Amino acid sequence: MQALFANCCLVELVITGVPSVTFPVHIYEPVVERTCRLLKMNKTTLSSIKIQRSRATQAFIDRVFRSLNLVVYRRPGVSNFLVTDSWFHDGFLNLASFKFIDSLVIKSSNVTWDALTPIIMNTSCRFTHLDLSYTTRFSSMHLEGEANFSYFRVLILTGNNLRPENFYGWENGLTKMTSLVELDMSENPIGDGGLSRLILCLQGAQKLCDLKIEHCNFSHEGLVELLQFVLESNHLKSLSIARSDLWEWSTEVATSLATFLAHSTIKTLNIEGIGLGDNGFAIFREELPLVVNLSFIDVSNNNGAAETTLFTEEFISKALGIVDIKASNNLIQEESLQHLKATLAGRYEFNPRIETQIYDLYKHSDRFKCAGLGHPYRLLENDIQ
């Protein structure tokens, strides 16, 4: 086995189930030794390390990185480091190990902010991708200092209980992330106040293309401010506000979205599960602009009924560049979908793929069934952007 790995060109190493240091030495030490030996044999080709479902110690990870000579001041091959569903007994890595990492992903793991601060804030670290999803709590999290924030291109902070008052510690860092391309702040209860502060911080992010603000407890007033920011940021191409609790303002939200689409140049819009309802779909359909620039829209889980199919038909007639529509988990009768299918089949040279899950209220009140357009999806060559 050793000879086999010695002659291979290992690019990615996934380390799963590293036992706790409390395990007997005769179990724990062989795992560490074999891992380090494998890394040494492939240190010139290895570019990614993943640790998952482990209870690793700082000593273990330090030995892993030393096997790759990452403390030597030269650019190594390893640039991606990912940790998921893991527990760290005593801190995290030493700072020297991180000086060469471009992408740092720590998901659903027990890592404190105090342990991450020296790494993220150090000027010698130049991360372009930072993902801290479901990892740390923001009561003490802050981005103050002289870190190289201008290198950040992707920042994902999903599910970290970020609240409006926490933005005071983030404004410095976010304002300096001028190269940011993708930002995901989903599942943080920032509310209207936090959303306003976030928008102020992103004024200088002139390269931002993909923005996700899903399930963040903002109201219709916050949505209006967000949509205005997107309109003024001509570089944004994708917006997601999925699972935002906006059902209280369903008709106002529909009007705001229709007005937004009349002037927006974004290509992707995700409004899944925002609570439009049938009334919201009706207003949205009536106020749609003559031309819609979207190539993808997701209106799933919005409790729409007959108006969902009417909206879909009207939307496709006005969004000539549409490629994909998702409208699953709405209360649509099968007869309504069959009518939509027949209308589209006679009107268009090709059919956009409509992913619809039908709930027949009369014949199948206890189950869902799926139906499609009945034609294979075919994308014409001149529709490829």
Side-chain angles (χ1 to χ4, degrees), residues 82-97:
L82 184 148
V83 178
T84 60
D85 302 303
S86 297
W87 183 283
F88 292 86
H89 292 275
D90 50 356
F92 203 49
L93 292 100
N94 62 52
L95 181 60
S97 300

Side-chain angles (χ1 to χ4, degrees), residues 283-332:
I283 299 297
F284 203 176
R285 172 177 59 83
E286 293 169 1
E287 300 190 13
L288 274 176
L290 294 175
V291 178
V292 178
N293 294 314
L294 292 178
S295 59
F296 169 83
I297 189 170
D298 188 345
V299 294
S300 303
N301 298 296
N302 271 293
N303 297 321
E307 283 292 341
T308 307
T309 52
L310 294 176
F311 166 81
T312 304
E313 182 178 344
E314 184 74 12
F315 185 87
I316 292 176
S317 69
K318 295 181 175 182
L320 302 180
I322 195 69
V323 172
D324 197 357
I325 297 177
K326 293 186 68 176
S328 61
N329 296 325
N330 284 296
L331 307 177
I332 308 172

Side-chain angles (χ1 to χ4, degrees), residues 69-357:
N69 290 333
L70 292 191
V71 294
V72 179
Y73 287 90
R74 60 182 180 81
R75 197 69 174 172
V78 175
S79 58
N80 305 306
F81 183 66
L82 184 148
V83 178
T84 60
D85 302 303
S86 297
W87 183 283
F88 292 86
H89 292 275
D90 50 356
F92 203 49
L93 292 100
N94 62 52
L95 181 60
S97 300
F98 272 107
K99 291 180 178 179
F100 311 102
I101 299 297
D102 293 323
S103 174
L104 175 63
V105 178
I106 305 175
K107 290 184 177 181
S108 305
S109 298
N110 183 54
V111 180
T112 66
W113 177 244
D114 290 339
L116 290 174
T117 301
I119 298 166
I120 296 176
M121 303 303 298
N122 192 276
T123 56
S124 63
C125 297
R126 298 184 177 183
F127 299 116
T128 59
H129 183 125
L130 180 63
D131 183 347
L132 301 178
S133 303
Y134 307 104
T135 293
T136 176
R137 295 300 173 184
F138 280 76
S139 58
S140 62
M141 196 170 184
H142 59 276
L143 290 178
E144 299 289 344
E146 300 300 326
N148 292 311
F149 296 121
S150 61
Y151 288 93
F152 279 56
R153 293 178 58 82
V154 177
L155 180 62
I156 302 176
L157 300 171
T158 306
N160 282 301
N161 200 34
L162 179 62
R163 299 179 180 276
E165 57 269 22
N166 300 127
F167 269 94
Y168 290 102
W170 274 80
E171 290 177 334
N172 173 65
L174 286 171
T175 303
K176 294 180 179 179
M177 294 182 187
T178 54
S179 298
L180 206 60
V181 175
E182 177 183 346
L183 175 63
D184 189 345
M185 297 289 292
S186 301
E187 299 182 40
N188 290 292
I190 60 176
D192 292 347
L195 187 58
S196 295
R197 301 189 74 86
L198 176 64
I199 289 172
L200 286 175
C201 293
L202 295 177
Q203 295 298 325
Q206 296 299 313
K207 298 180 181 180
L208 187 64
C209 294
D210 186 352
L211 180 60
K212 294 183 177 67
I213 312 289
E214 303 176 358
H215 193 45
C216 287
N217 293 6
F218 55 82
S219 67
H220 173 246
E221 183 179 345
L223 174 64
V224 171
E225 186 176 1
L226 174 62
L227 295 180
Q228 184 61 37
F229 165 71
V230 175
L231 287 177
E232 295 171 357
S233 306
N234 295 325
H235 42 83
L236 268 167
K237 299 301 179 185
S238 177
L239 173 67
S240 178
I241 56 170
R243 297 173 287 111
S244 298
D245 298 325
L246 298 170
W247 58 272
E248 295 182 51
W249 311 275
S250 61
T251 55
E252 293 92 335
V253 167
T255 298
S256 297
L257 288 173
T259 304
F260 167 72
L261 291 180
H263 304 93
S264 172
T265 59
I266 68 168
K267 295 299 182 182
T268 299
L269 178 64
N270 186 348
I271 53 174
E272 174 200 355
I274 65 172
L276 282 177
D278 228 30
N279 290 336
F281 272 115
I283 299 297
F284 203 176
R285 172 177 59 83
E286 293 169 1
E287 300 190 13
L288 274 176
L290 294 175
V291 178
V292 178
N293 294 314
L294 292 178
S295 59
F296 169 83
I297 189 170
D298 188 345
V299 294
S300 303
N301 298 296
N302 271 293
N303 297 321
E307 283 292 341
T308 307
T309 52
L310 294 176
F311 166 81
T312 304
E313 182 178 344
E314 184 74 12
F315 185 87
I316 292 176
S317 69
K318 295 181 175 182
L320 302 180
I322 195 69
V323 172
D324 197 357
I325 297 177
K326 293 186 68 176
S328 61
N329 296 325
N330 284 296
L331 307 177
I332 308 172
Q333 298 182 34
E334 186 170 4
E335 291 81 359
S336 297
L337 188 72
Q338 295 302 326
H339 171 73
L340 174 62
K341 179 169 63 174
T343 302
L344 293 178
R347 184 184 297 177
Y348 295 102
E349 186 176 351
F350 75 101
N351 290 318
R353 178 170 63 84
I354 300 182
E355 181 184 324
T356 308
Q357 192 173 45

